[in-house]
Structure formats: structure tokens, C-alpha cells
Amino acid sequence: MLRFVTPMYIWKTMRYFNLGMEKKLKHSINRVDEFAEDVIQTRKEELSLQCDNNMSKQRSDLLTVFMGLKDEAGQPFSDKFLRDICFNFILSGRDTSSEALSWFFWLLHHNPRVEERILEEICGIVSEREEVKKGEYQSVIFRPKEIKKMDYLHAAVSDALSLYPSVPADQKEARYFMKRGRMEGIWGKDCREFKPERWLRDGRFMNESAYNFTAFNGGPRLCLGKDFAYYQMKFVAASVIYRYHVQVVENHPVVPKLALTMYMKHGLKVNLYRRDESEIQKYLNTN
């Protein structure tokens, strides 16, 4: 993150002589590489044992999937490629999604009407399930097609990302002066409010231009994991909201931390209150 605010000739000199923050970064990258390589070697040993024992049940995680694929020349991917895949999912996939959900639940705490609308939407979608009709509310595991129908939840996650993007630093060279933060000319007078409705047209989610909504970058640098990240965040958010009311601990300090991604400096401390079945039934009856 300091590279964004340090003149290039300074940090490049520090990197060349292995000094200060560049020395620390180099050490940190080596530690991450060692961790990823250890994961890869451990997984290879596990797969080898499975083959030797003729075990029919195979792992289905992403790393194992990539290990089973081949490159354009028909060769298995190199350990370096697999290491980069691990690093990409750790940094780009795990941290960014968890950070986005932290800010999302913090915003829900301050906007209970949004939480109610999300819960109402979820209940409307699952109301036709046989197990729900029988009163088995807690056993629901959302299906991909159900997650896709959650337009208001999609809008709420998008507005949270617009207010608190997981990757807030996006280095571009502007040809004209730009104000920081949301621009009223794009988002309206209420641009600083958490308002999922701004993303909806006749109740359906409508994408904004990637150059207005920069949380996933745009053009040739558009995040490859955008759709997967949305599915992941919506699945987690829906699963939690359907079962619990999330309440932030009183007087817990919520401030961003200076980093490449937008961490909460002190994390997000919450209390979870399991929803009463009568509350779920109320929304099911509404739909």
C-alpha cells in the first residue's frame, strides 16, 4: 500500500538495496510462497495415497481441480503456476470477500429496513419448498438458482461494495481533476447513503458501468472472479440473515486499516441472535 504514496524512485531504490519496507515485503512474499508450496506438496501426497489405495472418493477443491488440468501443450501445470493460483485465491478471493461481508453486515446493523427487505425476499424465494411448507425452516441450504433470484440482496451487496470497496486503491492517471468518493452526478444527492434501491429497475437488479462502479475494476482488467465472488457473498449473507439477526457490539470501533484491501482495523465484533420461527413464518405468510 505504501507504494501508492511513495515516489517510485524511492521504493525502487529500497527494493534494489533490500531496505526498509521492501525488505519486509520480500520476506513476506517468501513466507507466502513457502506456505503455498507446502499446501501443494501436501495435496500431491494425499492424491498419490488415494491412487495407491484405489480410493473412489476424490477431493473436489479448486487446487485439486487445477492439478488435474493440463496447459496448452498438454502438460500438467507447473508448481509455480499452482502456487500463483493458491496466492490468487488467498489474496483476491478470501480476503476481499470476507472484508466486503464485514462492511455489509455493519451497514445492515445501521439500516434495519434493508435487513427486513432481504429477509422478506429470501423467504419469498424459499416459500415453495416442501420442507419449508412442513415447517422445517432451519434445514434450508440455498440452491444456485435461488441465489440468482435474490436481486435485492445483490443490490445491497453492490451498494456496500460501492461505499466500501474491498480494493480501494486503483491506480489510474486522470486527464482531469476528480473528487474523491462517490460523485453526486453519477449516484445522486443521496450518494453517501446505503441505498440498495438505486440498483433496481422494476424490482430487478441492473448493473452499473464498471467505470462508475469500480469495485471489480473494468475493461480488460475486469476481475475474473466477479460472478463467483457475488455468488459466494450472497450465499453466505443469505444463509446468515435467514437464521440470525446480526448485531454489532455496542461502542465497537469500526475504522478502515491502511492496506491494499479494506480491512476493518479492529475487525467486526457482533452478537448473533437466532431468529424465532414465528419471525420466519411472518415473512413466509407475507409472500
Side-chain angles (χ1 to χ4, degrees):
M1 183 63 190
L2 289 172
R3 284 184 176 180
F4 282 95
V5 295
T6 304
M8 188 180 295
Y9 73 91
I10 292 179
W11 68 256
K12 282 198 170 184
T13 301
M14 294 175 72
R15 183 175 66 180
Y16 182 80
F17 289 105
N18 198 30
L19 299 171
M21 65 182 189
E22 290 297 320
K23 179 180 180 180
K24 184 178 179 181
L25 176 63
K26 184 177 179 180
H27 174 72
S28 298
I29 290 173
N30 288 336
R31 291 293 301 274
V32 172
D33 285 347
E34 289 170 6
F35 169 76
E37 287 167 3
D38 182 59
V39 170
I40 291 166
Q41 293 307 316
T42 301
R43 185 60 41 79
K44 283 185 173 181
E45 291 172 8
E46 291 173 351
L47 292 174
S48 177
L49 285 173
Q50 283 184 342
C51 291
D52 292 342
N53 296 329
N54 295 317
M55 295 175 64
S56 58
K57 188 175 180 180
Q58 296 289 326
R59 299 184 67 110
S60 59
D61 57 87
L62 287 167
L63 176 58
T64 304
V65 170
F66 275 100
M67 284 181 168
L69 299 176
K70 299 184 184 300
D71 61 20
E72 294 177 352
Q75 298 298 316
F77 288 121
S78 66
D79 283 359
K80 180 180 181 302
F81 178 86
L82 294 172
R83 182 205 66 191
D84 292 344
I85 288 292
C86 286
F87 183 74
N88 186 53
F89 277 106
I90 291 168
L91 180 64
S92 302
R94 183 186 70 91
D95 289 1
T96 49
S97 295
S98 61
E99 289 157 18
L101 286 169
S102 295
W103 291 106
F104 170 77
F105 280 110
W106 179 72
L107 286 166
L108 278 194
H109 172 76
H110 293 285
N111 295 270
R113 66 166 188 86
V114 175
E115 180 184 8
E116 288 180 15
R117 282 203 59 180
I118 293 171
L119 184 58
E120 184 179 2
E121 178 181 64
I122 292 170
C123 289
I125 289 170
V126 301
S127 60
E128 295 303 314
R129 282 196 181 205
E130 287 302 318
E131 63 266 38
V132 172
K133 290 178 180 178
K134 294 176 182 177
E136 299 171 7
Y137 309 124
Q138 298 299 329
S139 62
V140 170
I141 298 176
F142 298 106
R143 299 161 183 160
K145 64 179 182 181
E146 291 173 334
I147 296 294
K148 191 174 181 180
K149 290 179 182 178
M150 297 177 186
D151 286 295
Y152 191 80
L153 176 57
H154 198 116
V157 171
S158 296
D159 215 45
L161 278 168
S162 183
L163 286 166
Y164 298 98
S166 294
V167 186
D170 183 10
Q171 194 169 20
K172 299 276 193 302
E173 183 175 336
R175 294 186 178 183
Y176 55 90
F177 176 76
M178 294 180 67
K179 295 180 181 179
R180 66 179 181 179
R182 278 185 170 184
M183 298 175 68
E184 287 188 8
I186 296 173
W187 302 102
K189 294 287 186 181
D190 56 0
C191 60
R192 292 173 181 81
E193 296 178 19
F194 180 47
K195 188 178 178 182
E197 288 80 6
R198 74 177 84 249
W199 297 82
L200 302 174
R201 303 290 184 276
D202 298 322
R204 302 293 296 174
F205 178 82
M206 295 293 291
N207 276 308
E208 271 287 348
S209 164
Y211 297 103
N212 292 341
F213 176 53
T214 59
F216 293 95
N217 220 312
R221 294 187 179 273
L222 184 69
C223 175
L224 296 175
K226 178 181 177 181
D227 291 339
F228 179 76
Y230 262 119
Y231 176 82
Q232 182 184 42
M233 290 187 290
K234 288 172 67 178
F235 185 91
V236 172
S239 299
V240 172
I241 293 170
Y242 181 71
R243 294 170 175 81
Y244 301 98
H245 170 61
V246 181
Q247 190 171 59
V248 177
V249 171
E250 189 175 357
N251 298 323
H252 175 66
V254 175
V255 291
K257 176 184 177 182
L258 180 66
L260 187 62
T261 54
M262 193 176 283
Y263 289 94
M264 284 185 175
K265 187 174 183 179
H266 307 286
L268 185 65
K269 292 186 178 181
V270 301
N271 291 314
L272 296 178
Y273 297 92
R274 184 176 287 278
R275 295 194 186 278
D276 190 87
E277 289 188 1
S278 61
E279 184 180 8
I280 299 295
Q281 187 64 50
K282 178 184 74 173
Y283 287 106
L284 290 172
N285 290 338
T286 302
N287 290 281

